[in-house]
Amino acid sequence: MTKVIHKSYIQNENLLFPHSISDFIPANDPVRVLNAIVDHLDITKIESTYKGGGTSSFAPRMLLKVILYAYLQNVFSGRKMETLLKRDVHFMWLSGMQRPDFNTINNFRRERIADMMDDIFTQVVKMLVNAKLISLDVQYIDGTKIEANANKYTFVWKKSTKTNQSKLDLKVKNVLREAERVLEMEQKNESESVMTAKEMQERTNAILTQMDEQGISNKKLRKSVVKVKEESVPKMKEYEEKLETVGERGSYSKTDKDATFMRMKEDAMNNGQTKPGYNVQIATENQFITNYGLYHLPNDQGTMIPFLKSFEERYGKQTSVVCADSGYGSEMNYEYMESKQIDAYVKYNMFHAEMKRKRKNNPFLVENMFYNKELNFYVCPMGQHLKHIKEEKSKSELGYESTISIYRSSNCRGCPLRCMCYKGKSHNRTIEVNHRNNELRAKARGLLTSEEGLKHRSRRPIEPEAVFGQIKYDNRFKRFNYRGKRLVKAEFATIAIVHNIRKYISVMQKSA
């Protein structure tokens, strides 16, 4: 029988590792690519946060490498990073066998680099430009909602807070007015606006002082005034603080006051329940993230202008091409892009409907009626003129003002096509036309239906949408780990940096 031979197995051998731990890391391993990228970053701003004296600290570049590599491995917990620094060869090599604990890692994330990650993201993007992987000449823009690290039941709604504030104001005014009448005090000219907590406090104190001076022993009246002072004044102050926190938003979460309640696609109950979150916007090129932003607005339309401005501030230039879906198509956004000489391959909400034959062949729709621009009137299918009546101003929720032209026919009574033309009871059809918006939409439609437009439209679904899919599903990042916009923004910057590095590694491996 052949003798069985086993390899030597000695757990207490003095030397189990090679002379250099680097020998365990392949030459083309992603950890080496990330290490080289971070070595080329300018981290002067991070180093400037350290003060001299005291004990020595871990090298900031090493900690940055560890955090970025952990995110590259879909590890977001500081405790897990601490464990990997003791067990994983890649982490050991990155840290030079140093073992910072989770407190050190988390403090570094919160205190040292939270305000610097945006600058690091920009540096990484510029490296990609130098490598000729992107040009910064085009932005494919899209947004998604990512859940905040907040309790979904700790909500504050602006509308209900204002309602409760008004009810409290009315109740208190009735009590104070009655007290002032009994005391024969000078009646104040009450405004329709809600009293502030300070005004309520001063008015209550004046009434109680007057009661003491006059020696009035009306227990019921005194009790109601004291109740205003002890309960209503603090409650009014609480409402004021809530409204100050919510600002222009419609809601916020008590556990993350920067998070706004929004409808999410990830709705386990399928009942349209809102959750606290952030509207995350990104711009991509060749599936690299070139810009990002976090907004409290639940819709995308109001985010486009500040997002484009942030791109210009980041790189000192604006792209010549922007491509986005119909959520961004508005007169306000088209006008801004036109002013910046941007080719807007951006759909509007009726773009696909207008392309259908049924709509194109409907002669009763305003866009299909003949318009005499010189004499400013429309002609209906029966040949009747709809004359210009007046101009009106319309202001959107975002504060943008549009000009609406009103046109009206002279008499539609007895028209054989009346039942197909409009459903109103009036015998004069009235139409509203936004000529400026129609002009901008026509320009956008021309771009979108051109050969170049078809190319951009076919590419857009595999640009930002694919990137969000990779981040949220492939890399399992569907919820922020930190609270407050400052730390949340830093965390998404880390996600964006790591995505770009991961994509860069993939491109390099394919070209090797």
Side-chain angles (χ1 to χ4, degrees):
M1 182 177 178
T2 307
K3 184 179 179 181
V4 178
I5 302 174
H6 295 286
K7 293 186 183 294
S8 176
Y9 175 61
I10 307 172
Q11 284 184 291
N12 296 321
E13 181 64 60
N14 289 334
L15 184 64
L16 288 175
F17 281 95
H19 293 293
S20 172
I21 199 171
S22 177
D23 293 346
F24 276 132
I25 314 294
N28 61 345
D29 194 281
V31 72
R32 290 191 182 275
V33 179
L34 182 140
N35 185 69
I37 289 173
V38 178
D39 279 339
H40 283 84
L41 293 174
D42 178 7
I43 62 166
T44 309
K45 291 181 180 178
I46 300 174
E47 292 171 337
S48 66
T49 63
Y50 289 84
K51 297 179 181 178
T55 187
S56 60
S57 56
F58 289 103
R61 198 177 294 272
M62 179 272 289
L63 290 170
L64 181 61
K65 289 177 182 178
V66 168
I67 291 167
L68 291 179
Y69 186 66
Y71 272 71
L72 193 67
Q73 301 302 311
N74 302 330
V75 174
F76 312 118
S77 163
R79 290 181 183 273
K80 288 183 180 179
M81 293 180 202
E82 179 185 356
T83 301
L84 289 168
L85 283 165
K86 299 173 184 176
R87 297 181 179 178
D88 190 283
V89 174
H90 299 81
F91 282 89
M92 292 177 181
W93 176 73
L94 269 184
S95 66
M97 292 300 292
Q98 296 182 46
R99 294 176 178 176
D101 62 17
F102 74 93
N103 272 324
T104 302
I105 293 169
N106 289 338
N107 286 336
F108 181 74
R109 285 200 279 187
R110 286 194 299 262
E111 307 300 331
R112 302 287 183 187
I113 62 172
D115 299 322
M116 315 298 175
M117 294 308 292
D118 192 61
D119 178 65
I120 292 171
F121 168 79
T122 306
Q123 290 188 54
V124 171
V125 173
K126 288 180 178 178
M127 285 183 184
L128 297 172
V129 174
N130 293 334
K132 300 190 183 305
L133 293 173
I134 54 176
S135 64
L136 297 182
D137 289 333
V138 60
Q139 292 184 74
Y140 293 95
I141 299 174
D142 202 2
T144 192
K145 296 175 182 69
I146 298 181
E147 192 175 345
N149 180 12
N151 189 320
K152 60 185 176 182
Y153 299 112
T154 59
F155 45 75
V156 174
W157 298 99
K158 184 177 184 178
K159 189 175 180 180
S160 62
T161 302
K162 278 191 169 184
T163 300
N164 292 334
Q165 187 189 44
S166 298
K167 287 180 180 178
L168 180 63
D169 175 70
L170 182 62
K171 181 181 175 181
V172 169
K173 280 179 179 176
N174 288 335
V175 172
L176 299 183
R177 198 181 298 120
E178 177 62 19
E180 288 167 346
R181 186 189 65 78
V182 172
L183 295 169
E184 297 181 350
M185 294 174 67
E186 182 184 350
Q187 295 293 312
K188 295 184 177 293
N189 294 323
E190 293 177 344
S191 64
E192 293 184 2
S193 60
V194 174
M195 274 194 299
T196 64
K198 185 179 178 182
E199 290 170 345
M200 195 181 289
Q201 177 80 54
E202 291 172 351
R203 193 169 168 184
T204 307
N205 287 339
I207 291 171
L208 291 172
T209 302
Q210 191 70 17
M211 280 184 169
D212 293 336
E213 289 176 356
Q214 295 184 19
I216 293 178
S217 58
N218 188 330
K219 292 182 179 179
K220 185 177 179 181
L221 184 63
R222 177 179 284 274
K223 185 179 178 180
S224 61
V225 176
V226 170
K227 188 176 180 181
V228 168
K229 182 179 180 180
E230 294 179 350
E231 296 181 12
S232 300
V233 171
K235 198 66 181 175
M236 183 61 76
K237 190 174 182 182
E238 179 189 325
Y239 289 146
E240 289 172 357
E241 289 172 353
K242 286 180 177 179
L243 290 172
E244 185 180 357
T245 301
V246 76
E248 296 179 357
R249 294 178 289 166
S251 61
Y252 73 87
S253 169
K254 292 178 183 177
T255 45
D256 181 356
K257 293 183 179 180
D258 290 331
T260 306
F261 279 80
M262 306 174 181
R263 298 194 188 280
M264 306 275 182
K265 287 182 179 177
E266 295 81 13
D267 182 7
M269 302 296 290
N270 291 319
N271 60 358
Q273 183 183 27
T274 57
K275 296 179 184 178
Y278 294 87
N279 185 353
V280 179
Q281 299 287 313
I282 63 169
T284 67
E285 183 184 353
N286 295 332
Q287 291 191 356
F288 289 102
I289 300 175
T290 56
N291 194 24
Y292 69 92
L294 276 74
Y295 302 92
H296 65 259
L297 290 169
N299 59 65
D300 295 331
Q301 192 179 108
T303 66
M304 181 167 238
I305 293 176
F307 185 74
L308 292 175
K309 285 180 178 178
S310 71
F311 186 96
E312 196 167 353
E313 289 168 4
R314 187 184 298 279
Y315 303 113
K317 58 170 280 189
Q318 189 55 266
T319 53
S320 57
V321 171
V322 167
C323 184
D325 63 20
S326 58
Y328 301 86
S330 71
E331 181 184 356
M332 177 180 68
N333 291 338
Y334 286 136
E335 199 151 61
Y336 178 81
M337 287 185 281
E338 186 179 67
S339 70
K340 291 292 181 179
Q341 298 181 332
I342 297 171
D343 289 337
Y345 295 92
V346 179
K347 296 177 187 175
Y348 47 90
N349 56 2
M350 294 298 292
F351 173 74
H352 288 292
E354 288 177 0
M355 297 295 107
K356 293 181 179 178
R357 186 184 304 170
K358 183 179 179 181
R359 189 174 183 90
K360 283 183 177 181
N361 294 338
N362 187 343
F364 301 102
L365 295 176
V366 176
E367 61 261 34
N368 295 332
M369 288 183 185
F370 173 77
Y371 174 60
N372 188 315
K373 189 174 183 180
E374 185 180 347
L375 299 178
N376 194 18
F377 65 82
Y378 280 85
V379 180
C380 78
M382 284 298 290
Q384 185 173 178
H385 290 190
L386 283 80
K387 296 179 181 178
H388 180 257
I389 302 299
K390 59 181 178 178
E391 301 281 321
E392 289 184 353
K393 297 293 182 182
S394 173
K395 186 172 281 190
S396 70
E397 292 181 359
L398 299 169
Y400 181 79
E401 193 173 85
S402 300
T403 301
I404 309 297
S405 300
I406 312 296
Y407 298 85
R408 185 174 296 156
S409 64
S410 57
N411 186 12
C412 296
R413 190 189 301 270
C415 177
L417 302 179
R418 164 77 167 74
C419 60
M420 294 185 288
C421 189
Y422 70 104
K423 296 180 181 179
K425 293 182 180 180
S426 169
H427 294 293
N428 307 87
R429 182 179 180 184
T430 302
I431 60 174
E432 298 180 357
V433 182
N434 185 335
H435 289 292
R436 179 58 178 156
N437 190 35
N438 289 345
E439 178 188 333
L440 292 166
R441 285 188 173 194
K443 184 178 179 181
R445 187 165 56 249
L447 288 170
L448 289 163
T449 54
S450 66
E451 186 177 341
E452 189 72 11
L454 293 171
K455 185 183 78 173
H456 285 301
R457 282 166 57 191
S458 64
R459 181 145 190 87
R460 192 195 63 78
I462 62 171
E463 280 283 348
E465 290 183 15
V467 171
F468 277 134
Q470 292 162 22
I471 289 172
K472 296 177 79 172
Y473 298 98
D474 295 352
N475 305 320
R476 303 191 296 278
F477 187 82
K478 294 185 178 182
R479 192 172 190 260
F480 287 108
N481 298 291
Y482 284 93
R483 294 176 178 176
K485 191 172 182 180
R486 172 178 169 269
L487 294 178
V488 166
K489 185 178 179 182
E491 185 171 25
F492 191 80
T494 308
I495 291 291
I497 292 165
V498 167
H499 170 83
N500 285 346
I501 292 174
R502 184 183 284 113
K503 181 69 179 175
Y504 174 77
I505 291 169
S506 175
V507 170
M508 292 299 101
Q509 288 175 345
K510 287 179 181 177
S511 60

